[in-house]
Amino acid sequence: GAFSIPTVSWPSDSCKTMTATLIGTMTRAEKAAQMVMAPLGIASVADVQTLAPGAVFAPGGYVPPGGSGIAAWGSYLDGFIAAAAQTTHKIPFFMGADVLHGNNTAIGTVIFPHNAGLGGSNDPALVQKGAQITAMEGAAAGLNWTFAPFAGVSWDDQWGRVYESF
């Protein structure tokens, strides 16, 4: 049989209404704060509760106060999520991380070769398995926004991150 993609009306009318209502109740400062991705190490749980940034970024190699294991990460990020739930508008919180080569934010996770190396394996199943492992390990640490997998193809060797291309 033929494969067909169902038509989905997005955003829905209720989503549009909720968004318009929410934005209508926000101050300019609150709207601006939602555009901020604050870096861990500078942003604290108290900052999230008072300033309500849209996200916090976990840079590679960052170690939370409780240690760098998955359980420590989960507990640490739960504090940020709980703080976001206490803000005026209770907008869901995003914790972003660059996990392009695996969840390098936590000890005990798998770190994969650069995409150039994986692409050179000529094994799409291996690449997919690596992305699945990275997704599971990121979710286990509490990350809900990742900057991976990267699926672009670089055509200009002068680009500084050409190794991230397949």
Side-chain angles (χ1 to χ4, degrees):
F3 177 77
S4 65
I5 299 173
T7 302
V8 178
S9 175
W10 188 88
S12 67
D13 288 338
S14 64
C15 181
K16 291 177 190 177
T17 301
M18 288 173 55
T19 302
T21 302
L22 177 62
I23 290 174
T25 64
M26 295 173 77
T27 66
R28 284 185 180 179
E30 289 169 333
K31 291 173 192 173
Q34 283 297 302
M35 302 290 288
V36 171
M37 181 168 52
L40 276 178
I42 295 173
S44 68
V45 169
D47 291 335
V48 168
Q49 193 165 358
T50 58
L51 302 173
V56 171
F57 178 68
Y62 178 80
V63 178
S68 59
I70 291 288
W73 267 103
S75 174
Y76 184 58
L77 299 185
D78 283 349
F80 282 96
I81 292 166
Q86 299 300 314
T87 61
T88 303
H89 302 290
K90 299 173 180 37
I91 297 172
F93 181 76
F94 289 102
M95 176 60 68
D98 187 347
V99 296
L100 194 58
H101 311 293
N103 182 17
N104 65 354
T105 63
I107 283 182
T109 58
V110 180
I111 305 301
F112 293 95
H114 288 296
N115 288 345
L118 289 171
S121 74
N122 200 27
D123 187 347
L126 174 67
V127 173
Q128 184 176 16
K129 187 66 173 174
Q132 289 171 337
I133 290 168
T134 299
M136 288 187 299
E137 291 181 343
L143 300 173
N144 57 13
W145 182 22
T146 63
F147 308 116
F150 174 76
V153 177
S154 174
W155 298 102
D156 185 349
D157 291 341
Q158 296 174 60
W159 183 48
R161 297 182 82 167
V162 71
Y163 59 88
E164 291 183 340
S165 172
F166 289 102

